[in-house]
Every structure is written in structure tokens, then in C-alpha cells.
Amino acid sequence: MTDTTNQTAPIERVPSGIEGFDQLLHGGLIKGETYLLMGPPGAGKTIFGNQMCFHHIATGGRAIYLTLLAEMHSRMLAHMQTFDFFSEDPLADKLTYISGYATLEQQGLDALTKLIRKEVRKQRATLLVIDGVLTIEQNTASLRERKEFLHALSVTTETSGCTTLLLTQYDRGVYDQPEHTMVDGLFHLTAQLHDWRLLREIQIHKFRGSGFLEGRHSYIIDRHGIEIYPRAESLMKTNPIPLPTSLTSIHPAGRMAFDVARLDEMIEGGVPTGSMTAVLGAPGTGKTLLGLHFLGAGVRRQEQSLYFGFYESPVQLKRRLAELQLNIDDKEVSRYLEILTQSPTEDIIDVLGEQIMATVRKKKVKRLFIDGLSGFQNAIASQERMDLFLSSLFTTLRNLDVTTIWTIELADLLNPTIIMPATISKMAALVENIVLLRHVELYSQLYRLISIMKMRQSKYDPSIREFRISDSGLDVDATFTSAEAILSGIAHSGESTGQESAMGDPLTSQKEPQ
């Protein structure tokens, strides 16, 4: 016979219906316990409480929304109708709205306690939301009364299996009031300006009986209601993805070609499968075109490919892909190529990361081209957070065996020494491969050069090559001869080098009269 005396029943969760919030709590609230959600006016507490109620009744539960505010329920519900979570179905038998304001004001805290106990039993409620807990503090003479109220509330909800969420505008220190210490969980919403943007964040200060994702996490309020985006690095830490066989094997990794003949020759047939490649270059050097070559090569090999960018419109991408003999309106092309364009003014970097990862998982993407690091830089307030986010994103993509190309724009248009800013240099250190594209000016004409700066654990040709952009795409010179002539011309602009290449003689054809 099995001894069950020391076995405990599994924890029963109550999902909030806010996916990101449930992720923070590893599955949702715990049934029968009492929680406090605090934050300043306008942070979204009332939206949060109503959104949770509507989800709860939609999944078979029964809820009470009790207000201690002067606001009329009809006005509050009118506001809630603008959100997708609001249901037009009759609410009377599932969701009950009650005002406890008059009871508290006229009869005191004991009468409010009796009202709550009566309604929870009468409605057989499994979720109770109390909005306006600050009103209790304002109408109570002593801390002892408030502690007794919270204790009685906990007993009532625990014995009935009713999960309780308290909403308060209190926004001072944490853990300096009985509401903070006596509840089973404390959640804090903040909304503050950073430069011109409003950044909304939620933090779980405590959550008894379960682990949770620590730190601050971003959220937004839109037509869906509250949407919470856990930090990408915290999700990666709690849900690690094992490395694919291709990256743990002692055998060399496969290759992902660009289908740019001489470039592929320089890198032994392509970049290693599952690796990250940074393409560095000033505006106009051909970074986007090189990334589109990479995606086009994937489509031709029937590999699921994804473009994610900020500055190219779908119309522009369609035209540029057409030059590479790829028609995105063609069913066969659209079957293997997904295009996601995003406004460069997006405020939350975790939203961008989630969009990428959701598509990667859904489409089983093998080739990913992220066009522009600056779009992510614009969406984040801290460089330290940027480093953590990129490290997490890159690790996740590698572990999913996704081969990624990422463009990074350099500010100097005509600097032959290419000294990278410290922030970009640190980001470039996170990737396995680095390709540098640059302009060189010679005799009032611009030339483009390409070189492989880094390819970890892989052979490559380190020579600098000249390349040109034509109607059919990017064409790399067969040798380094023309590039050497161009670079020698920088050092000795008054002399002819006499060097020639398959792409022509840039010095002799452009040299000014002596």
C-alpha cells in the first residue's frame, strides 16, 4: 500500500486570461488566495480586473466585481465595451457588479465584511475583485481594523475557494502597509515617461507558493486590454531550449549559401548552419540587398525564410525581390518566404522579439534576415538591457537551428579605417560571423568593398573584394586585385598602380590628368 500521509494536493491555478501575466506566475494565480494589484491612476488596474473577470466567466467560473469608488458601474462598463474581451452576453448570472462604497461610508468596515461574505456565498463566486482598496484606508481609524478586515476576507475566500484580487491606487513604498504584508501576492504597475515615450511596466514583488519571473516586464494597453510581455531573457532562463544536433555534433556544420557565387567561395560555400552573422556597413553599401540574396537562396532550396525589418515597405521589398527573380505574389515563393515589416517607432523591444519568435516557431523558419539593429535600439531605454535581450534572442535562435543575418548600420560613409562605436562592437561580439561592406571614394567616384572580418570556427578568405550592384543583384569580383588597386589609390592618389581586374581598372579609368 502506498503511504499518502505526506503527499500534498497539487496547486490549483486560476488563469487570469492575460497570457503574459500567467507566464510571469508560471501558470496563473493560486485558487483561494488573496492578491493585491497596486499602481498609480491610469496604470490600468480597473481594466486588468475587468479583463480577468470576463475571462473567468468565459471559462466556466463565477465572478463578483465589487467597487469602493464613487464611479457608476454603467459608466465603467461603457468604457470596458471598447475592449475585445468585453462580452455582449448577459452577465447577471455569471458576473455581478456590486458597490460597497455606501456600506463602507455609512456603516463601516464590519458591515462591508458581512456584505462580501454574503455575496460570495450567494453568488457562489470563484473570483472576487475589489476595486478601490485605498478607500478602506481612508475610512478606517486604526491599522488593527484593516488587519482584521484582511484576515476575515482571507478566511472567507479561502474556505469558499474564491480567489481574490484587490486593486488599489496606493503607490508609495512596498511592504509598509498591512495590505502589502498580509496578502499572498503583490503586483505593482508603473507608468512613467522616458524621453517622449510612456513606458508601462509590471513587477511581481511576491507570490507565495510558487516561483515567478522576477524583475520588471513591459505591458501595453490596447484594444485587447492589458497585454504583458515578459522580458525575453527571463523567459529564456526559465524555458531553455536544448542545442540542436547540428551544433553539438563533432562533425562540421552545414552551410547556408547566399547564391552570390564569389562570396560563397570566400566563405567555403556559405555561413555555418545555425550561426549568427552581422553585416556591417554605412547607408547604401548593399546590406539589405545581401540579406535578400540570402533569403532568395533559401526560397530556391525550399527552406522556410523570414524577413523582419523596419525601413523597407512591402512595395519596396517586392520590387527589390523581383530584381532577384523572386515574385512574392507567386504561391511557391510565398510558401517559403514570410515578410514582416514593423514601424521603427515601436516602444517595446519584447513585442518585437515575440513577433520574431512566434513566426519562427509557427513557420519552422530556417533562414532569418533581420534588417536593422537601430529599430531595436529605438525601442529600448537601456543599453545594458539591449545586450541582455540580444544575447537571449541569439541563443534562442541558435538553439532552434535558425541561421540569422542581421544588419548593423555604421555612421561613417567614407572611413577606410572603420572604427566601430563601442556599443556596436560589443553587439558584434555576440555573433559568430561578421561581414563588412564599405564605400571607398577615389577620384570623385564611389566604389564598394566587401570583406569577411570574422567567421568563428570556420575557414574563410580574408581578402578584400570589390563588388557592384546591378539590376540582377550583387556581384563580387573574382580576385582582390581591383580592391587592392582602389585601396592603394587612397594611399597614393597621385600615382597609377596599373592594376586591372575582371571588373575594370578603377584607377586608370577614373584617374584625373596629371
Side-chain angles (χ1 to χ4, degrees), residues 12 28 86 199 232 252 255 277 336 357 433 458 514:
E12 187 174 350
F86 183 85
L199 300 182
R255 297 282 174 164
T277 301
Y336 295 104
M357 294 312 306
N433 319 311
S458 178
Q514 295 288 324

Side-chain angles (χ1 to χ4, degrees), residues 274-323:
S275 66
M276 308 292 303
T277 301
V279 178
L280 311 181
T285 49
K287 301 184 298 297
T288 297
L289 181 59
L290 183 58
L292 294 180
H293 268 286
F294 179 73
L295 296 181
V299 172
R300 284 185 283 273
R301 289 164 176 77
Q302 298 185 341
E303 296 167 344
Q304 293 294 337
S305 305
L306 170 63
Y307 171 93
F308 188 90
F310 299 89
Y311 303 102
E312 299 278 346
S313 70
V315 174
Q316 290 172 315
L317 287 170
K318 181 177 180 179
R319 183 169 60 249
R320 301 187 74 170
L321 286 167
E323 294 172 355

Side-chain angles (χ1 to χ4, degrees), residues 14-119:
V14 179
S16 67
I18 303 172
E19 183 179 356
F21 184 64
D22 293 337
Q23 285 181 301
L24 297 183
L25 303 182
H26 295 174
L29 303 174
I30 297 176
K31 182 178 179 180
E33 298 198 344
T34 302
Y35 302 96
L36 177 64
L37 177 67
M38 58 187 290
K45 302 180 297 297
T46 297
I47 297 171
F48 193 109
N50 276 277
Q51 188 171 347
M52 187 170 177
C53 284
F54 276 93
H55 172 78
H56 192 71
I57 66 173
T59 53
R62 302 177 66 85
I64 294 174
Y65 195 103
L66 185 144
T67 61
L68 299 176
L69 306 170
E71 181 181 23
M72 298 294 291
H73 293 155
S74 58
R75 179 177 297 178
M76 182 176 64
L77 285 173
H79 295 160
M80 294 303 112
Q81 288 180 23
T82 62
F83 296 105
D84 290 348
F85 63 76
F86 183 85
S87 172
E88 297 290 348
D89 295 336
L91 305 177
D93 61 336
K94 299 179 182 178
L95 174 55
T96 304
Y97 284 86
I98 301 172
S99 176
Y101 181 77
T103 302
L104 178 62
E105 284 278 320
Q106 299 169 15
Q107 302 178 49
L109 206 52
D110 286 342
L112 179 63
T113 302
K114 293 177 182 178
L115 173 66
I116 292 173
R117 186 183 300 121
K118 172 186 173 183
E119 291 297 333

Side-chain angles (χ1 to χ4, degrees), residues 152-280:
L153 179 64
S154 280
V155 171
T156 298
T157 55
E158 184 178 356
T159 55
S160 62
C162 179
T163 307
T164 302
L165 179 65
L166 309 176
L167 310 179
T168 181
Q169 291 184 5
Y170 192 88
D171 194 31
R172 285 169 274 173
V174 179
Y175 300 138
D176 61 355
Q177 295 295 318
E179 290 89 351
H180 301 165
T181 56
M182 294 180 67
V183 294
D184 299 298
L186 179 58
F187 319 132
H188 192 189
L189 301 178
T190 59
Q192 55 186 347
L193 285 174
H194 177 77
D195 294 331
W196 300 101
R197 297 178 297 169
L198 181 66
L199 300 182
R200 298 181 183 273
E201 295 178 325
I202 183 171
Q203 183 174 0
I204 311 299
H205 287 286
K206 75 172 183 179
F207 187 55
R208 290 175 182 159
S210 173
F212 58 91
L213 297 187
E214 298 180 341
R216 297 193 300 271
H217 307 269
S218 299
Y219 74 95
I220 62 174
I221 299 175
D222 60 13
R223 65 181 182 84
H224 301 295
I226 300 282
E227 293 192 86
I228 296 175
Y229 298 91
R231 294 193 330 278
E233 56 270 29
S234 65
L235 286 176
M236 177 63 192
K237 181 179 179 180
T238 56
N239 301 296
I241 301 172
L243 281 169
T245 305
S246 62
L247 297 183
T248 56
S249 171
I250 61 173
H251 300 291
R255 297 282 174 164
M256 291 283 194
F258 287 87
D259 281 358
V260 178
R262 291 164 186 119
L263 173 60
D264 290 337
E265 290 174 5
M266 294 173 67
I267 53 179
E268 300 287 317
V271 292
T273 300
S275 66
M276 308 292 303
T277 301
V279 178
L280 311 181

Side-chain angles (χ1 to χ4, degrees), residues 12 32 77 83 99 130 207 223 247 252 346-347 363 369 408 453 474 482 491 503:
E12 187 174 350
L77 285 173
F83 296 105
S99 176
I130 302 179
F207 187 55
R223 65 181 182 84
L247 297 183
E346 176 60 65
D347 290 340
K363 297 287 187 178
F369 173 37
I408 301 177
M453 297 180 65
L474 192 148
S482 65
M503 302 185 78

Side-chain angles (χ1 to χ4, degrees), residues 431-450:
V431 303
E432 289 86 357
N433 319 311
I434 300 177
V435 179
L436 174 63
L437 308 180
R438 52 174 161 158
H439 286 125
V440 174
E441 182 186 14
L442 183 62
Y443 303 129
S444 302
Q445 183 168 329
L446 289 180
Y447 297 89
R448 292 183 174 92
L449 302 181
I450 185 170

